[in-house]
Amino acid sequence: MAYLDWIGKKEVVNHHQRVPLHSFSKSGKNINLDINRSMTIKGDNLVALKSLLPYYAGKIKCIYIDPPYNTGNECWIYNDSVNSPEIMEWLGKIVGKEAVDLSRHDKWLCMMYPRLMLAKEMLTPDGIIFVSIDDNEYCRLNYLMDEIFGHKNVLANFIWQTEGNFDNQAKVKINHEYIVAYCKDINRFPAPPVLDPNTSENSKLFNKQIRNTIVKNGPKNPISEIVIPIGFPVDFENGIITKRDDAWPHYNTDLEVKDYKTVNEVVVSSGWSSKKIFEQFITGEYSSVIDTKGQITRFVITNTGAIETVKERKADQSHVISVLREFGSTQQASAYLETIDVKFDYPKPVSLIKYLISMNYGEDYIVLDFFGGSGTTAQAVMELNENGGTRKFILIEWDEHIYKDVSLRRISEIAEKYGEEFQIVELGKLIYDSNGFFNRELSYEDINRYIYFAETNHPVEEENANNINGYIGTYGANSIFIFYNNSEPEKSLEFGIDEMRQVNEFRGNKIVYAIQCNLSKSLLKNNSIVFKQIPYESGGIK
């Protein structure tokens, strides 16, 4: 695989691991997120992504982002040249003195790398990420995605044929952008259950059945013989298919048909495209079989002597084209926003994002957009839910003006229209202070959640998040427990004999957090218990 290098790469490759966890707040007060509701988050998307992991690691099915295209344009409402004060300050801290020598492409790569690394951790095993981009960073984005997600997991590099006005002074008029799509695991991502909206009404895709010949001659399909027994199904009532060797398949004798079945046995020869399941169909006495795509399949002889597969078309048809057309334009999307008193240049059309989201099976999953912009993704999710879906969105935006005056205003208006509810939160305080102690404002649920995530890199099961003084979850061979007195931290529970009896109800290894332990190391070892002290300053847990 080709290797992409740039100034500052070594400083950012593992930076996502060092990003500190933050809590979430509303009106300045620490809150616990409700994972059963959509939400908007105001704050640095890198910090927000890291802080969402204890809630959502491995739980996001679809990510769509429209990051800065890095065109050098700083004059419009959404700075797309990665020269925003926040990014420049971050680059100076992380990359150091080298940051002053970075090209705008280096800056863009430094900005994107850790965010994409965290995005990958958020995806479900069958999840997918879509990234909009244009020619300025398209090539570098592909190398970046290959490195992070693996080239084998690319679904497509879609070309979105934009509509509306474009620069008539250019030597070549550009009327397209790209949407790069990568799966977490391409083998877990099924064929998208959507049809290209430009599919003709007369397309065979709308036929209830799929019929194709199984004759396939060539070097990879050598000619072989198959015996067609008496009683094989035929799609005409009566007649004779004569012996032949001048058309495929060859017949070694005349074949008589009566009442839609073969009357005599015949040997046919050809190269075959589906020989294995064809023979399964015969040995199974003509019961339908399942092909490699999971389709119900049977075989039939036609009046021309052809042998065809007949497959029942699934209700969830899949016909996705790599060129995306007729999804509207950014000009039309901007005009729509003006009708709800929102100004934003170059928003993506809602219909385009709805189509991408619809490539996921089901109607109950989470869609994340951490370059929230005008809030198109949130609107797309709410419109898709109009027919009873329960998809949820998480939108992150770090620009206060865009968040307050654009995305939040738009989302609030659309949510009211569709009767949707969502949380409005901000990034809160650090989970751990400079001494490694827990933030004193953390709740039971917070502490349980962060301790479980620290041990497993996975979110705690929600039914266990509020468990007090005991079991909070099992991952692999380890069960995890926490014992403390939240109302009187200075009298927090010790881990003693009674608590040991409690944890010994579980098999395997037990990881126990408490303020202190009064059991011997040998007793802990003999009972497969690992003791760890809760990281908080005396009097610190509320």
Side-chain angles (χ1 to χ4, degrees):
M1 184 180 75
Y3 178 77
L4 179 65
D5 199 8
W6 67 90
I7 297 175
K9 180 177 183 179
K10 64 180 180 180
E11 285 79 14
V12 300
V13 165
N14 295 312
H15 177 66
H16 64 287
Q17 298 173 352
R18 302 189 297 273
V19 176
L21 288 168
H22 284 62
S23 62
F24 293 93
S25 66
K26 185 175 183 179
S27 302
K29 295 183 179 179
N30 183 66
I31 62 168
N32 297 311
L33 298 182
D34 182 351
I35 69 167
N36 296 311
R37 296 171 61 197
S38 295
M39 72 185 71
T40 62
I41 302 172
K42 163 65 177 67
D44 182 335
N45 57 8
L46 180 63
V47 178
L49 285 170
K50 182 62 174 281
S51 301
L52 286 170
L53 285 177
Y55 291 87
Y56 294 103
K59 291 189 175 183
I60 305 295
K61 193 168 186 177
C62 179
I63 298 175
Y64 170 79
I65 56 173
D66 186 11
Y69 281 11
N70 207 13
T71 63
N73 186 351
E74 301 178 37
C75 301
W76 56 303
I77 191 170
Y78 193 87
N79 184 328
D80 70 351
S81 64
V82 295
N83 279 328
S84 68
E86 295 87 353
I87 284 292
M88 294 308 296
E89 180 183 6
W90 176 78
L91 286 170
K93 289 179 180 178
I94 304 307
V95 179
K97 294 180 180 180
E98 278 189 323
V100 299
D101 297 324
L102 299 181
S103 72
R104 65 187 180 92
H105 301 297
D106 294 326
K107 294 173 188 176
W108 189 87
L109 289 164
C110 285
M111 183 272 293
M112 290 294 293
Y113 195 98
R115 288 162 173 81
L116 290 172
M117 289 294 290
L118 291 172
K120 182 181 180 181
E121 292 187 40
M122 303 289 277
L123 286 174
T124 59
D126 62 345
I128 187 170
I129 179 171
F130 300 96
V131 185
S132 283
I133 204 68
D134 72 1
D135 285 314
N136 285 283
E137 297 293 353
Y138 171 68
C139 293
R140 280 169 285 275
L141 175 63
N142 271 283
Y143 281 119
L144 205 61
M145 297 294 282
D146 275 355
E147 182 169 332
I148 294 171
F149 290 89
H151 181 71
K152 65 180 181 179
N153 290 317
V154 61
L155 177 70
N157 285 335
F158 290 105
I159 296 174
W160 170 42
Q161 184 176 312
T162 57
E163 300 174 29
N165 298 324
F166 47 88
D167 184 8
N168 289 320
Q169 301 303 313
K171 294 179 179 179
V172 176
K173 305 337 184 248
I174 305 299
N175 70 334
H176 74 277
E177 294 181 11
Y178 306 95
I179 300 175
V180 175
Y182 278 71
C183 301
K184 180 73 170 286
D185 180 351
I186 192 71
N187 295 317
R188 303 284 291 273
F189 187 81
V194 293
L195 288 178
D196 181 88
N198 301 291
T199 303
S200 168
E201 293 180 358
N202 299 322
S203 170
K204 65 180 183 179
L205 291 168
F206 296 107
N207 296 338
K208 292 182 179 180
Q209 294 180 338
I210 308 168
R211 294 183 67 133
N212 289 296
T213 178
I214 64 170
V215 168
K216 188 175 183 180
N217 291 302
K220 295 183 179 180
N221 301 90
I223 295 172
S224 61
E225 295 182 344
I226 295 178
V227 176
I228 302 293
I230 296 172
F232 193 93
V234 183
D235 70 353
F236 59 98
E237 186 173 6
N238 299 298
I240 293 176
I241 297 172
T242 60
K243 174 184 176 181
R244 71 189 192 195
D245 59 10
D246 58 349
W248 299 106
H250 295 173
Y251 284 77
N252 75 332
T253 187
D254 290 350
L255 177 64
E256 184 180 353
V257 174
K258 186 175 182 181
D259 295 330
Y260 298 99
K261 296 178 182 179
T262 58
V263 173
N264 60 297
E265 183 179 284
V266 66
V267 176
V268 293
S269 58
S270 178
W272 310 101
S273 65
S274 307
K275 183 177 181 181
K276 184 175 180 180
I277 61 171
F278 183 34
E279 290 176 331
Q280 289 176 359
F281 179 75
I282 293 172
T283 57
E285 297 182 347
Y286 321 127
S287 295
S288 295
V289 294
I290 304 298
D291 72 1
T292 56
K293 295 182 179 180
Q295 294 173 298
I296 298 173
T297 305
R298 58 188 176 86
F299 295 82
V300 66
I301 298 175
T302 72
N303 62 354
T304 66
I307 302 174
E308 295 183 345
T309 60
V310 182
K311 302 183 181 185
E312 301 300 321
R313 193 179 295 280
K314 292 182 177 180
D316 294 329
Q317 298 183 49
S318 181
H319 186 63
V320 180
I321 305 299
S322 61
V323 178
L324 307 175
R325 297 180 294 111
E326 303 296 332
F327 284 104
S329 67
T330 58
Q331 289 87 353
Q332 291 169 338
S334 291
Y336 160 74
L337 290 181
E338 289 180 2
T339 66
I340 57 174
D341 198 27
V342 171
K343 179 176 174 55
F344 192 85
D345 293 331
Y346 310 117
K348 293 296 185 291
V350 174
S351 59
L352 174 66
I353 309 308
K354 286 172 65 176
Y355 180 68
L356 297 176
I357 294 172
S358 297
M359 290 187 191
N360 294 276
Y361 270 88
E363 296 183 332
D364 181 20
Y365 53 84
I366 304 169
V367 181
L368 168 65
D369 183 348
F370 53 90
F371 286 95
S374 69
T376 304
T377 300
Q379 180 170 344
V381 169
M382 288 187 279
E383 289 191 7
L384 285 171
N385 285 342
E386 188 175 10
N387 295 322
T390 54
R391 303 169 189 84
K392 292 167 280 294
F393 64 82
I394 300 174
L395 181 140
I396 306 170
E397 176 55 49
W398 61 14
D399 185 286
E400 186 170 357
H401 164 59
I402 295 175
Y403 179 74
K404 179 180 177 181
D405 297 331
V406 180
S407 54
L408 195 54
R409 180 182 296 182
R410 176 188 192 175
I411 293 169
S412 298
E413 174 118 0
I414 302 302
E416 182 176 358
K417 175 181 177 180
Y418 289 104
E420 294 261 4
E421 295 184 353
F422 66 99
Q423 304 167 83
I424 302 173
V425 303
E426 297 182 355
L427 283 172
K429 297 179 180 179
L430 286 165
I431 298 301
Y432 302 99
D433 65 20
S434 58
N435 296 316
F437 296 130
F438 273 135
N439 177 341
R440 294 188 179 192
E441 297 181 9
L442 297 182
S443 65
Y444 274 122
E445 180 179 332
D446 283 325
I447 292 173
N448 287 353
R449 190 179 299 279
Y450 295 121
I451 281 179
Y452 187 84
F453 182 74
E455 289 292 339
T456 67
N457 287 321
H458 286 76
V460 67
E461 295 294 332
E462 287 303 303
E463 60 266 27
N464 295 332
N466 281 311
N467 284 356
I468 298 173
N469 294 330
Y471 174 74
I472 57 173
T474 296
Y475 185 78
N478 297 324
S479 296
I480 302 162
F481 304 81
I482 185 168
F483 295 91
Y484 61 91
N485 186 325
N486 196 51
S487 59
E488 297 182 90
E490 67 279 2
K491 298 180 181 179
S492 289
L493 296 176
E494 296 178 345
F495 182 68
I497 291 295
D498 291 340
E499 290 73 34
M500 187 183 74
R501 293 194 183 102
Q502 180 179 340
V503 304
N504 276 344
E505 294 177 4
F506 292 77
R507 295 181 178 180
N509 301 320
K510 280 83 69 174
I511 300 174
V512 174
Y513 281 82
I515 301 307
Q516 58 185 358
C517 176
N518 62 10
L519 302 178
S520 67
K521 291 182 179 180
S522 60
L523 188 58
L524 292 173
K525 183 177 181 180
N526 290 339
N527 286 274
S528 301
I529 297 172
V530 175
F531 175 79
K532 297 185 179 182
Q533 189 171 28
I534 297 175
Y536 88 98
E537 190 175 14
S538 179
I541 300 177
K542 293 184 180 181

